[in-house]
Amino acid sequence: MPEPSLPHAPVPLGGRPRPEGSSGRGSWHRRASRPVSLWMVALVVVVLTHQWIPQSRWLLVHMVTLGLITTSIMVWGQHFTEALLKTRLGQESRPRQLNRIRLLSAGVLVTILGMLPTWPWVVVLGALMVSTALVWYAAALGAQIRAALAPRFEFTVKAYIGAACLIPVGATLGAVMAFSPGEPWQGRLLLAHQLVNILGFVGITVTGTLLTLWPTVLRTRIELAAVRRSAGGLLGMLLAVLGATAGALLGSTLLGSAFLLAYLGSFAWVAVTLVQVTLRAARQERKVPLPLFPVLSIAAGVLWFAMTVVGLLVMWWRSADEQLASSLVAADIQQLTVPFVTGFLLQVLLGAMSYLLPVTMRGGPRSTKAALEVMSRFAVLRTVTYNLVVALFVLTGLGTATSGAVFAALTVGTADVADFGSLSRVVLSLLGFAALVTFLVLMGLAIRASVRNRGVGLPMPVQARDVAPGAVAVAGPATTAPAGEAAPSPAQPPVGAAASSSTPAPSRAAVASVSRSEGMDRRALTEALLGIGAVLGATALGTSLDRAQGSVPDHGALHGAGAVSGGAVVPTGTTTTIAVSMAEMRFTPAVLEVPAGDTLVIELSNDDPYDVHDLVLASGVSSGRLQPGAITTVEAGVIGHDLAGWCSIVGHRAMGMTLQITALGSSASPGAERPAAGTTGLELARIPLDLQAAPGADHRTRTALLPPSAGPQQRLTLEITEVDSEIAPGVRMDAMTFGGTVVGPVLRSELGSRLAVDLVNHGSMGHSLDLHAGRISPDQSMRTIPPGESLEYSITTDHAGIWLYHCSTMPMSVHLAAGMVGALIVPPAVLAEVDREYVLVQSEHYLVPEGAAGYDAAMHEGAHPVSPAKIAAEQPDVTVFNGHANQYVHAPLEARVGERVRLWVLAAGPSRGISFHVVGGVFDTVFKEGEYLLRPDNENRGGSQALDLAAAQGGFVELVFEEPGTYTAVNHSFVEMERGARALIRVTD
C-alpha cells in the first residue's frame, strides 16, 4: 500500500528541524528501532548459549543478516529517504511503517522456527513474510519519490528500492535450500543466495547510503555532480549481481567471475568519490574532533567488504578446473561467512548506529555532542581489537603459506596457525565478543548523557568562509549539528572549507586545537597498543591451553622454543620445488627432503582417476580439494623443522595417505620424523545419547514394510547425496547416502529378474556401488565415479536372500559408517504366505565428538563427521535399525494376535554383526544366507531364539504372536541394544 503523498514542509538537509513532541519523528525512531535493540540482546544470549542450540552457526548468521541488518535497513532507509527527498510524512503513515517492521520481524522468527527443527514449509512461509515486508517497503519508497517536489537525491532512494526488490529472489533461494538439495545444487544455491542478499541487498543499500552518510559523518562537503556521477555505479552493481547470480545457478565459472569483476568495478567507481571525501576531510582543520568510532568502524567494514568480494572472485575463478558442476561446494562458500558477517556487516551497522542514534535523539547541540563522545569512547581500542580477532579467524581458514605468514606477522611472531586450536578460538571469540558488547553498554550511557544535556545550547562561533561553486552539503540524518561545528548546508559550508585571503596569527583556540590533537594522537596510539596487546595475550593464553590439552603439537618440546614451520633457522633464500602426485590413497613421493631454511613449493597433482584429495600440512597450509586431474601449487613456506602432512578427506588419512617433510640439517637429527599424533581421549569420547527421548521434530519414521514386487524387469536410479541426518534423538551425522537417507532404500527383485541401477553422484567426493547379489566384474560397474558423473550397474538376481549393497570406495569403513548401505531382497522361489513382512537393517555409526580434532570439518552445521579413529578402535556411538536408533520405539511395528509375521534382517556393518531376538517370541522359521535352517512343524519340534548374522549377512525369521502386548526386537548383544538396536512390535487383538 503506498504511503500518503502529503509531505510536510521540507527541511533543509543541513538545517535544524523543528522541535517535535512525543508523537514526532524522534518518537517514531525510538519505536521503530526497538526491534533492532531486541535483536542485539537476543544475539548476545545466543552467542553465550550457542553450544546447546542446534544449527547455531546458521542461527547466528541469520540473526545478524535478517534480524539486525535487514531491520536496520528498513528503519534507516525510511529515515534517509525523508531526509534526502526533503519530505516529512504525516503521523498517520507511521503505524503502517511500524507494521512493516513487525511483519519483517515476524517473518524472521518464523524462518528461524522452521529452520532449527528443519521444517522446510515453515521456512517457505517465513521467506514469504520477509519478501512481502521488503516489497511493501520498496513500494512505499517509490511513492515518496513521486510525491517529492525536487528529489535531487532520488538516485539513492532508487538504489534502496532496487536492492529491496532483490530480497524475494534471495528468500526464494534460501527456502529451496531448506529442503536440503544435494551437491551441486546446495553449493550453487548458497552462492546465489549470498550474492543476492549480501552483495545485492546489503551491498547496494550500504554503498548508496555512504554516498550521503559518509560526508555527513566526516562533516565535509561533497559536490552534487560528483554524487550523481558515482551513483551510476549503483546501477552497475545491481546488474552485476543479477548476472553473477545467473552464473552461480548455471554453474558457469566464467560468467559468474565476469559479472563479479564488473561488480567490483562498479563498487570502485563509487569508492573513488568516498576516498576523495575522506582525503578532503583529513586536510580539514577542526575545533571539535570527529566522532571517531563511526569513522573507524564504517571504514573498516567497507574494507572487509571489498577484500571479501575480491576473495570470492579469486575462489570462484580458481574453481574453474574442478569437475564439480557447481564450481563451488557449500563448504567452500561458508569460508566467507566470517569476513562478510563479522568483518563487514556488523562493523558498518554498529558504526552507522553510533553516529545516527545520538543525532536522532534530538536533544540539542550539547546533548548530541555528549552522546557522540560517549559512543566513541575507546574507539581505537575497540576497532583494533575486533579487527585483529576477525583477521586471525579469517587467516586460519585460508590454509596457505601467505596466510600463515600474515598470521605470524599480526601476532608479532608469537603464534603460528598450527597452534591455533579450539581453545584459542574460544578465547579469541570471547575477546571479539567483548569488543562488540561494549556497543550496548555505551549506547545506554549515551542515552543517559543525551538526556542529561537535553535542551542546553552551546555558543556557535561564526567565521567568514568561502563557498566553492556548485558544492552542496550532503547530510544523511539532516539533524542537529555537533557542538562546535555548524551542520553543513548549501548556505553554510563546514568549518575549514576554505581559508580567508589573509593569514591571521594563531589564536588561543587554534593553539588549544593543536594541543588537543596531539593528546588525541597519543591516546589513539595507546589504545592501539592496548588492542594489539589484548589480542596477543588472548592468543598466547589460548595456545597454552591447547598445548596443555594436547590438541596442538608442542613445538617447543620437539625442537626448542619458538620452532614453527619457518623454524628458528635462518632462511637461505633458496626455493626447493618438488612435484607430488596423489593417487590410490598415497602421496608420491611420501617423504620430501628439504634443506633447512629453504622455501618449499609443492607442485601437487591429483592423478587419481576417481577420488577427490587434498594436502594439509601441520603448519596449517592447505591445498584445498582437488578433483581428479586437477593441479595446484602449495607454498609451504620456509622449512625449519620436520613437518607432517595428510589428506583431510574423511578416512583418507586413516588409510595411510600421509606425507612427511624432512628438514635436512635442522636442530632435529637428519631425517628424523615428528612423533605421530596419537589418538586422544577426546577423539574416542562417547557421544551422549538420550534414547528415552523422542526423535527430533524433523525426523520422519521410515516404513519398515517390505516393498512390493517390481516385476521381471526393473530399472531404478540411486542418487548419492551428502546430507545432515538425525540418527538418534538430538544427534545428527554428516551422512553420505543413497537416496538421501542413512541406510538406502530397500530394493526388491525376483529370482531370475533383471535389475538395472543408474548411479548418480551428487556428492562432493568420489563414490561407487557394490551389489552383493550380482555376479559381475567389479572393474567397470563398481568403479568410483567423481562428483557429477553417473554409471549403469546391471545384474541378474539369480539367488535368493537379503543382500547388502554399499559404497565400495576406499576407505569403505568410513563410507559405510556414513550411511552408504542398503538391502536388496530376492525372495526364495517357494515362500509361505504371511500376514505382515518387515525389513530391519542394522548399521553402526562412529562420530567425532564436539571439540575433537576433525569436528570443525563437518559439511553441515551441528552435524558430527564420521570418526575414522573410532572405526579403527571399534568403538561405535550408536547402533540403529533402518537409520535411526529409536524410531520404532516411538512408532512401533504393528501386528495382531494369531498373525504370522516375517522379519527380514540384515547386518550391514560396517563391522558389527547381530544376534537378532524378539523378547517374548519364538521363531519357528529361520532362513539364513540362502537356506532354511528351520521350518514350521519340523520333526524335532525345534524352535529358534536368535538369528546370528555376521557383518554383510542376512536372512529372515517368522513367528506367530499368541497374546496381545508390546514385544521388543533387539540385538541380543546387549551393548548394541543399549546403543539403539531396538524396535517395538505392538500386538493387538
Side-chain angles (χ1 to χ4, degrees):
M1 178 183 297
E3 301 290 346
S5 57
L6 299 174
H8 290 206
V11 179
L13 287 178
R16 181 168 304 181
R18 69 186 65 179
E20 295 185 6
S22 61
S23 61
R25 190 162 66 163
S27 173
W28 176 80
H29 272 298
R30 288 191 294 274
R31 287 179 291 160
S33 298
R34 196 168 297 147
V36 179
S37 301
L38 293 176
W39 280 116
M40 287 185 178
V41 173
L43 184 63
V44 171
V45 173
V46 172
V47 168
L48 295 175
T49 61
H50 71 278
Q51 71 180 101
W52 298 287
I53 300 175
Q55 302 197 58
S56 58
R57 179 189 177 95
W58 181 94
L59 179 60
L60 288 168
V61 168
H62 286 79
M63 287 182 71
V64 173
T65 54
L66 280 178
L68 278 176
I69 301 298
T70 305
T71 307
S72 296
I73 285 175
M74 186 174 284
V75 173
W76 295 108
Q78 177 62 46
H79 172 88
F80 277 101
T81 296
E82 294 183 31
L84 295 174
L85 299 180
K86 297 185 178 181
T87 60
R88 185 72 58 82
L89 298 181
Q91 293 305 310
E92 69 276 5
S93 69
R94 299 306 185 192
R96 281 192 291 275
Q97 295 168 15
L98 293 174
N99 287 337
R100 279 202 301 269
I101 296 170
R102 294 184 185 114
L103 176 61
L104 172 65
S105 300
V108 176
L109 287 173
V110 170
T111 302
I112 291 172
L113 292 175
M115 194 66 190
L116 294 186
T118 320
W119 294 340
W121 289 108
V122 177
V123 176
V124 171
L125 176 61
L128 181 61
M129 295 170 67
V130 170
S131 300
T132 302
L134 267 295
V135 171
W136 185 6
Y137 162 76
L141 298 189
Q144 292 174 66
I145 290 179
R146 292 191 297 272
L149 298 178
R152 291 188 302 167
F153 298 100
E154 78 281 357
F155 46 82
T156 298
V157 182
K158 288 179 179 178
Y160 293 167
I161 295 172
C165 290
L166 291 174
I167 279 293
V169 179
T172 300
L173 296 170
V176 174
M177 282 193 295
F179 290 88
S180 299
E183 295 292 355
W185 283 107
Q186 188 73 15
R188 292 186 186 185
L189 291 168
L190 180 58
L191 178 56
H193 181 69
Q194 291 195 351
L195 289 171
V196 170
N197 288 349
I198 297 182
L199 270 63
F201 173 60
V202 178
I204 294 172
T205 301
V206 169
T207 306
T209 301
L210 288 178
L211 277 174
T212 53
L213 176 62
W214 189 239
T216 306
V217 174
L218 296 178
R219 302 182 196 139
T220 303
R221 288 178 175 255
I222 182 172
E223 294 183 357
L224 179 59
V227 178
R228 289 189 178 277
R229 284 196 304 270
S230 299
L234 300 176
L235 177 60
M237 293 170 69
L238 176 61
L239 296 176
V241 164
L242 295 175
T245 302
L249 294 175
L250 294 172
S252 172
T253 298
L254 180 60
L255 180 65
S257 299
F259 276 105
L260 199 55
L261 186 61
Y263 182 92
L264 278 170
S266 300
F267 176 75
W269 179 259
V270 180
V272 168
T273 300
L274 300 179
V275 171
Q276 290 172 346
V277 171
T278 305
L279 295 176
R280 190 179 302 125
R283 293 191 294 266
Q284 214 169 296
E285 293 183 2
R286 304 178 184 278
K287 288 187 176 181
V288 178
L290 292 174
L292 195 54
F293 183 75
V295 174
L296 294 179
S297 188
I298 293 173
V302 172
L303 285 175
W304 275 112
F305 176 71
M307 289 188 295
T308 307
V309 175
V310 171
L312 174 59
L313 175 61
V314 172
M315 181 187 296
W316 203 347
W317 180 253
R318 285 181 175 176
S319 71
D321 293 333
E322 299 183 1
Q323 295 182 12
L324 188 59
S326 65
S327 297
L328 295 174
V329 296
D332 297 323
I333 302 165
Q334 288 173 352
Q335 296 177 13
L336 304 174
T337 300
V338 171
F340 263 139
V341 175
T342 60
F344 165 51
L345 295 179
L346 281 176
Q347 290 202 94
V348 169
L349 173 67
L350 298 186
M353 291 184 68
S354 294
Y355 180 81
L356 293 172
L357 288 176
V359 169
T360 55
M361 283 189 283
R362 297 177 174 273
R366 185 183 292 274
S367 173
T368 301
K369 178 177 181 293
L372 285 171
E373 287 178 347
V374 171
M375 294 304 296
S376 286
R377 286 181 185 175
F378 311 110
V380 177
L381 172 62
R382 293 154 59 197
T383 306
V384 169
T385 300
Y386 182 76
N387 281 277
L388 269 179
V389 170
V390 174
L392 293 181
F393 270 96
V394 171
L395 291 170
T396 57
L398 296 180
T400 65
T402 302
S403 64
V406 175
F407 184 97
L410 290 179
T411 56
V412 199
T414 61
D416 185 72
V417 173
D419 299 330
F420 200 70
S422 59
L423 293 179
S424 297
R425 294 174 182 272
V426 170
V427 174
L428 269 184
S429 297
L430 291 175
L431 181 61
F433 179 65
L436 288 178
V437 170
T438 54
F439 172 84
L440 294 175
V441 177
L442 293 176
M443 183 174 68
L445 295 176
I447 292 173
R448 189 170 66 177
S450 175
V451 172
R452 187 187 306 120
N453 292 275
R454 187 158 292 175
V456 180
L458 286 176
M460 305 290 283
V462 179
Q463 299 182 13
R465 288 167 292 210
D466 298 327
V467 180
V472 296
V474 179
T479 54
T480 307
E485 294 189 28
S489 71
Q492 185 182 17
V495 176
S500 63
S501 58
S502 61
T503 306
S507 63
R508 289 183 181 179
V511 173
S513 176
V514 172
S515 175
R516 183 165 54 246
S517 175
E518 291 176 350
M520 286 181 59
D521 290 342
R522 287 194 296 269
R523 184 166 65 247
L525 177 60
T526 301
E527 289 185 15
L529 292 175
L530 286 174
I532 295 171
V535 174
L536 293 180
T539 305
L541 174 61
T543 300
S544 299
L545 294 173
D546 280 318
R547 286 176 176 167
Q549 188 189 49
S551 57
V552 299
D554 189 341
H555 297 297
L558 290 172
H559 302 291
V564 290
S565 67
V569 300
V570 178
T572 63
T574 302
T575 299
T576 297
T577 302
I578 302 177
V580 175
S581 170
M582 299 184 294
E584 299 179 353
M585 298 296 167
R586 290 292 182 269
F587 291 101
T588 305
V591 177
L592 311 183
E593 295 185 342
V594 183
D598 276 15
T599 298
L600 174 61
V601 174
I602 300 174
E603 295 179 346
L604 189 66
S605 61
N606 184 1
D607 297 321
D608 199 305
Y610 309 118
D611 276 335
V612 176
H613 295 295
D614 67 2
L615 171 61
V616 175
L617 301 180
S619 60
V621 174
S622 172
S623 66
R625 290 186 173 186
L626 272 68
Q627 300 291 326
I631 299 173
T632 192
T633 299
V634 179
E635 298 177 359
V638 176
I639 302 302
H641 58 74
D642 296 352
L643 198 63
W646 58 87
C647 178
S648 70
I649 305 300
V650 60
H652 289 198
R653 186 181 186 183
M655 291 289 297
M657 197 168 181
T658 58
L659 177 140
Q660 180 68 37
I661 299 174
T662 300
L664 301 176
S666 67
S667 57
S669 58
E673 296 186 359
R674 292 179 61 148
T679 300
T680 66
L682 181 58
E683 286 181 284
L684 298 180
R686 283 286 307 276
I687 304 297
L689 299 177
D690 182 4
L691 296 181
Q692 303 305 312
D698 64 323
H699 176 72
R700 298 294 176 266
T701 301
R702 181 170 174 171
T703 180
L705 292 171
L706 176 70
S709 172
Q713 297 289 333
Q714 182 180 183
R715 189 178 194 93
L716 56 88
T717 299
L718 277 181
E719 296 187 348
I720 297 170
T721 58
E722 294 161 2
V723 303
D724 168 14
S725 180
E726 181 181 280
I727 59 174
V731 177
R732 309 190 72 86
M733 180 176 70
D734 237 351
M736 308 174 193
T737 70
F738 294 112
T741 59
V742 173
V743 180
V746 175
L747 310 180
R748 177 171 176 174
S749 182
E750 304 305 315
L751 278 173
S753 295
R754 191 69 178 164
L755 173 64
V757 177
D758 293 315
L759 185 71
V760 183
N761 186 359
H762 292 312
S764 63
M765 64 186 73
H767 291 292
S768 57
L769 175 65
D770 179 1
L771 287 168
H772 282 200
R775 293 179 294 179
I776 189 171
S777 171
D779 294 348
Q780 288 299 316
S781 296
M782 300 183 197
R783 72 183 188 276
T784 296
I785 56 173
E789 292 194 8
S790 61
L791 62 76
E792 179 182 328
Y793 192 128
S794 297
I795 62 171
T796 300
T797 52
D798 292 323
H799 300 280
I802 175 170
W803 302 89
L804 175 67
Y805 69 84
H806 62 88
C807 178
S808 59
T809 297
M810 301 297 285
M812 276 186 271
S813 60
V814 170
H815 288 245
L816 270 64
M820 298 193 78
V821 295
L824 167 59
I825 294 178
V826 183
V830 178
L831 193 62
E833 290 292 330
V834 293
D835 298 290
R836 299 178 190 262
E837 225 166 339
Y838 293 112
V839 182
L840 296 175
V841 179
Q842 178 189 282
S843 58
E844 79 269 11
H845 303 280
Y846 310 76
L847 307 176
V848 177
E850 187 171 356
Y855 180 78
D856 293 336
M859 293 180 287
H860 301 89
E861 176 70 21
H864 295 267
V866 175
S867 171
K870 287 185 176 177
I871 293 173
E874 296 193 43
Q875 294 185 18
D877 291 289
V878 57
T879 306
V880 304
F881 285 149
N882 294 351
H884 195 280
N886 68 346
Q887 60 182 332
Y888 301 126
V889 173
H890 293 270
L893 309 180
E894 300 287 345
R896 290 183 178 276
V897 172
E899 288 184 337
R900 176 167 289 275
V901 178
R902 179 178 296 127
L903 299 168
W904 292 86
V905 183
L906 175 68
S911 301
R912 298 300 177 99
I914 185 173
S915 174
F916 184 74
H917 171 73
V918 174
V919 178
V922 174
F923 306 141
D924 61 15
T925 303
V926 177
F927 180 91
K928 176 183 176 182
E929 286 295 286
E931 187 56 82
Y932 283 97
L933 303 184
L934 184 68
R935 289 179 180 271
D937 303 323
N938 61 85
E939 61 182 14
N940 295 319
R941 300 185 63 186
S944 175
Q945 58 193 318
L947 171 61
D948 61 316
L949 301 170
Q953 288 189 324
F956 66 77
V957 294
E958 296 176 11
L959 74 166
V960 176
F961 296 102
E962 297 183 357
E963 296 180 0
T966 301
Y967 297 75
T968 306
V970 300
N971 184 336
H972 214 279
S973 174
F974 282 141
V975 67
E976 308 297 348
M977 184 268 287
E978 291 167 355
R979 292 190 184 114
R982 182 166 69 112
L984 300 184
I985 305 173
R986 182 183 293 124
V987 179
T988 58
D989 288 322

